[in-house]
């Protein structure tokens, strides 16, 4: 199903319904259902959604992710949980340490399965599935369904029922998409032009690498624009601070690698800017899918240097779109001096 179409509620609500019908609790160091997600941010978001949906039930939801206290998680497992939301590594740690057993677990959800494959989690997923009982419900969710995921489904599922809500390779129609032809040396100036010439109320800027994300963060701060970079080398506290500041509107733009392209649901993102084109065409669909969520409209800008033209053609082939190459007026854009003082982001609450 397309990103932003409500996949989380589609699996959380039936799980909560089934839990509500069961009279017996899971018991200490057991759980009744488990959701496995590729990143901490997505796991935390699923947990928040699950707790909101379970507000008027007795369902107990626990979170097992890296970068947080083991002791707190062990105490939660001592009580037992109806639903556990976890990242693969931390889940295996708890199982192998004897703090969690899955032989009473009747449902397992693998969310963003294609991203877990991209991130190299397949051996861990196979290990987790080995701890599950033979009789279970397995749910596999993905915004795209490449051949490798179909192979994964055939390994884990018996006579699976497949639901495809919308074409997997198309961004939602409410996204206004633009591609701008630039010279590679003008990329930074072109980004500042887009930000100053358009009303970017809440935007996400995507880069291919962590280093570039940090460079863009510093460029924007020196240009007087408050921002944070969000990528895998940031600590859990830094990533939480970046997302919280962005969600609250304390910073107008967030700079991110593709770790933020999947599953991060922020209300009212007005613009997505591809500072660099993604290496994988499917990643474009996920990036631009950060805007126009839940029925709203959005705008996606892509900066395309000559070396990235082939990437754009692959995206057009995947999506069936034809993006006309446009020009940006960068003549009036002033670049900040190298020794310019960077603006400070909002205080950490």
């Amino acid at each position: 199903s397309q990103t932003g179409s409500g996949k989380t509620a589609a699996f959380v609500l039936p799980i909560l319904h089934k839990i509500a019908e069961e009279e017996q609790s899971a018991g200490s160091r057991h759980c009744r259902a488990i959701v496995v997600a590729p990143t901490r941010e997505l796991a935390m978001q699923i947990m928040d959604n699950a707790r909101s949906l379970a507000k008027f039930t007795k369902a107990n939801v626990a979170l097992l992710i890296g970068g947080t206290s083991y002791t707190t998680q062990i105490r939660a497992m001592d009580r037992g949980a109806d639903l556990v939301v976890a990242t693969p590594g931390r889940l295996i740690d708890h199982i192998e340490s004897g703090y969690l057993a899955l032989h009473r677990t009747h449902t397992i959800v693998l969310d963003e399965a294609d991203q877990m494959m991209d991130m190299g989690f397949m051996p861990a997923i196979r290990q987790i599935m080995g701890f599950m009982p033979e009789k279970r419900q397995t749910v596999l969710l993905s915004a795209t369904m490449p051949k490798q995921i179909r192979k994964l489904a055939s390994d884990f599922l018996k006579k699976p029922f497949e639901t495809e809500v919308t074409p997997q390779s198309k961004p939602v129609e409410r996204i206004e998409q633009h591609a701008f032809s630039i010279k590679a040396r003008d990329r930074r100036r072109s980004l500042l032009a887009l930000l100053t010439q358009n009303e970017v109320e809440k935007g996400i800027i995507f880069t291919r690498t962590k280093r570039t994300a940090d460079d863009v963060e510093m460029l924007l701060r020196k240009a007087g624009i408050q921002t944070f970079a969000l990528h895998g080398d940031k600590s859990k506290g830094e990533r939480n601070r970046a997302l919280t500041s962005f969600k609250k509107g304390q910073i107008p733009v967030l700079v991110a690698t593709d770790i933020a392209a999947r599953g991060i649901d922020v209300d009212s993102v007005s613009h997505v800017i591809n500072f660099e084109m993604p290496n994988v065409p499917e990643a474009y669909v996920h990036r631009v899918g950060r805007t126009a969520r839940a029925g709203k409209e959005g705008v996606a800008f892509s900066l395309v240097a000559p070396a990235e033209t082939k990437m754009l053609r692959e995206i057009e082939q995947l999506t069936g779109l034809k993006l006309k190459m446009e020009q940006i007026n960068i003549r009036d854009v002033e670049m900040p001096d190298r020794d310019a003082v960077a603006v400070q982001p909002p205080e950490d609450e």
Side-chain angles (χ1 to χ4, degrees):
S1 169
Q2 283 180 329
T3 182
S5 57
K7 290 193 292 293
T8 305
F11 64 77
V12 169
L13 285 169
I15 288 173
L16 292 175
H17 183 91
K18 188 169 185 178
I19 288 168
E21 290 182 329
E22 294 170 348
E23 295 178 4
Q24 213 170 0
S25 65
S28 176
R29 300 194 176 188
H30 290 81
C31 67
R32 294 200 261 186
I34 190 160
V35 178
V36 185
T39 65
R40 299 172 190 173
E41 286 80 12
L42 181 54
M44 291 165 65
Q45 182 177 291
I46 293 168
M47 183 203 66
D48 289 342
N49 287 341
R51 285 183 174 166
S52 295
L53 293 169
K55 184 175 181 181
F56 299 105
T57 75
K58 296 179 181 178
N60 179 19
V61 185
L63 180 69
L64 304 181
I65 60 173
T68 55
S69 168
Y70 245 124
T71 309
T72 304
Q73 294 175 9
I74 290 169
R75 279 203 300 266
M77 288 300 93
D78 278 340
R79 293 190 298 269
D82 295 306
L83 172 62
V84 165
V85 183
T87 47
R90 182 55 66 96
L91 177 60
I92 290 173
D93 287 347
H94 279 276
I95 294 169
E96 292 184 336
S97 301
Y99 298 120
L100 175 61
L102 300 185
H103 60 268
R104 294 182 194 166
T105 306
H106 54 60
T107 306
I108 183 166
V109 177
L110 306 179
D111 196 18
E112 299 290 0
D114 51 350
Q115 189 185 14
M116 285 202 273
M117 180 170 277
D118 292 343
M119 294 172 73
F121 282 135
M122 278 309 105
I125 294 301
R126 292 186 182 278
Q127 190 177 352
I128 291 165
M129 296 302 285
F131 294 118
M132 290 287 296
E134 187 74 19
K135 188 178 179 182
R136 63 173 188 260
Q137 182 182 25
T138 305
V139 183
L140 189 148
L141 292 108
S142 184
T144 60
M145 194 63 76
K147 289 179 181 177
Q148 305 98 307
I149 296 300
R150 291 197 178 277
K151 170 68 169 65
L152 187 72
S154 68
D155 290 349
F156 292 154
L157 310 179
K158 294 178 182 176
K159 297 180 180 177
F161 178 84
E162 181 178 331
T163 301
E164 185 173 323
V165 176
T166 44
Q168 61 188 26
S169 58
K170 291 193 174 182
V172 293
E173 294 175 357
R174 293 179 304 278
I175 304 174
E176 182 186 320
Q177 298 171 70
H178 299 271
F180 297 97
S181 176
I182 62 164
K183 294 177 181 175
R185 66 171 183 267
D186 293 330
R187 195 183 297 273
R188 291 153 62 89
R189 190 182 295 271
S190 299
L191 174 63
L192 291 179
L194 286 178
L195 291 174
T196 55
Q197 294 168 15
N198 297 275
E199 294 181 9
V200 181
E201 298 168 9
K202 189 181 273 191
I204 303 178
I205 300 165
F206 282 105
T207 66
R208 282 201 296 268
T209 67
K210 303 167 190 173
R211 182 175 178 180
T212 305
D214 288 335
D215 289 345
V216 171
E217 176 190 32
M218 190 49 61
L219 166 71
L220 297 184
R221 287 193 186 176
K222 286 184 175 180
I225 300 170
Q226 288 189 335
T227 187
F228 277 115
L230 179 68
H231 55 67
D233 281 353
K234 297 288 186 179
S235 69
K236 179 175 179 292
E238 289 172 323
R239 286 152 78 168
N240 283 350
R241 185 183 177 195
L243 273 173
T244 301
S245 299
F246 185 59
K247 286 179 179 180
K248 289 183 175 179
Q250 294 171 330
I251 58 173
V253 290
L254 184 70
V255 185
T257 55
D258 284 313
I259 192 172
R262 304 282 194 99
I264 302 303
D265 188 10
V266 178
D267 288 339
S268 305
V269 172
S270 61
H271 292 73
V272 166
I273 299 176
N274 290 307
F275 180 74
E276 298 168 307
M277 298 301 285
N279 289 320
V280 181
E282 284 88 356
Y284 175 87
V285 178
H286 297 303
R287 286 182 178 189
V288 302
R290 296 308 97 204
T291 186
R293 295 177 78 80
K296 296 177 182 174
E297 297 182 349
V299 180
F301 293 141
S302 297
L303 300 177
V304 186
E308 294 168 308
T309 306
K310 183 173 179 287
M311 297 176 189
L312 180 64
R313 297 286 91 84
E314 290 173 350
I315 289 165
E316 289 178 334
Q317 188 174 358
L318 174 74
T319 60
L321 299 170
K322 183 64 180 175
L323 297 177
K324 178 185 170 187
M325 297 299 280
E326 304 174 40
Q327 301 296 319
I328 308 174
N329 178 12
I330 61 172
R331 290 191 300 273
D332 301 328
V333 177
E334 290 188 20
M335 294 293 289
D337 295 332
R338 285 192 174 185
D339 55 354
V341 178
V343 295
Q344 293 302 306
E347 291 288 323
D348 187 359
E349 295 178 1

